[in-house]
Amino acid sequence: TDSVNLMGTANPDTITVGATGTRIDVAGVPVATSITGSQIPDQLQIAAEGPGDSIVVDPAVDALISMLINPHV
């Protein structure tokens, strides 16, 4: 099992997670990230660090990797 952990900033972020074929692209985090070769039960964890964050995940991503989203509370 592989795990990728990404964190937002203390400022309001708009984080998007999309799938293009078998590639996962994450934008809106300090370092834009692409993931290839993933399979369930690999994990992508995104932690929003500031108030006002928005996280949008393309439903197609669910077939490629397990998502864990931790919104700022």
Side-chain angles (χ1 to χ4, degrees), residues 1-4 36-44 64-67:
T1 301
D2 295 313
S3 180
V4 177
T36 59
S38 66
Q39 57 187 349
I40 305 295
D42 293 345
Q43 296 180 344
L44 171 58
L64 302 174
I65 201 164
S66 297
M67 289 288 311

Side-chain angles (χ1 to χ4, degrees), residues 1-63:
T1 301
D2 295 313
S3 180
V4 177
N5 299 301
L6 302 174
M7 296 179 70
T9 67
N11 298 316
D13 297 312
T14 300
I15 300 170
T16 59
V17 184
T20 304
T22 59
R23 186 183 76 223
I24 300 165
D25 295 307
V26 183
V29 292
V31 177
T33 303
S34 292
I35 301 167
T36 59
S38 66
Q39 57 187 349
I40 305 295
D42 293 345
Q43 296 180 344
L44 171 58
Q45 180 172 343
I46 298 177
E49 293 295 305
D53 288 340
S54 170
I55 302 174
V56 178
V57 180
D58 179 343
V61 172
D62 291 333

